């Protein structure tokens, strides 16, 4: 699994970081960012919940 965040789409709602705090954080401007080493989701099942929780569909998962 590889997670990508479209920062052009992200509105900084923070739902991803609330839903899966072991994978997502927010940068200084409030936009979503992946925690270091968690680009593959780290096996956290909450990643898929975070994708659903994002109100603008900014998070994409690609299976490798
Ligand atoms: S939930 Fe979506 S819009 Fe909100 S910070 Fe995360 S990626 Fe950005």
């Amino acid at each position: 699994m590889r997670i990508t965040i479209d920062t052009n789409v992200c509105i900084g709602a923070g739902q991803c970081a609330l839903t899966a705090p072991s994978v997502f954080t927010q940068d200084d401007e409030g936009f979503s960012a992946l925690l270091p080493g968690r680009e593959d989701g780290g096996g956290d099942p909450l990643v898929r919940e975070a994708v659903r929780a994002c109100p603008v569909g900014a998070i994409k998962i690609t299976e490798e």
Side-chain angles (χ1 to χ4, degrees):
M1 175 193 292
R2 184 142 299 271
I3 304 166
T4 55
I5 301 166
D6 188 341
T7 51
N8 291 317
V9 175
C10 174
I11 57 171
Q15 292 302 318
C16 53
L18 284 172
T19 305
S22 79
V23 177
F24 298 95
T25 187
Q26 286 177 279
D27 68 16
D28 291 343
E29 293 169 348
F31 295 114
S32 179
L34 291 167
L35 288 166
R38 292 303 178 121
E39 294 80 3
D40 64 354
D44 189 337
L46 293 174
V47 169
R48 291 177 197 281
E49 287 299 317
V51 172
R52 279 192 282 274
C54 178
V56 293
I59 307 167
K60 297 275 185 276
I61 291 175
T62 52
E63 302 293 345
E64 294 174 328

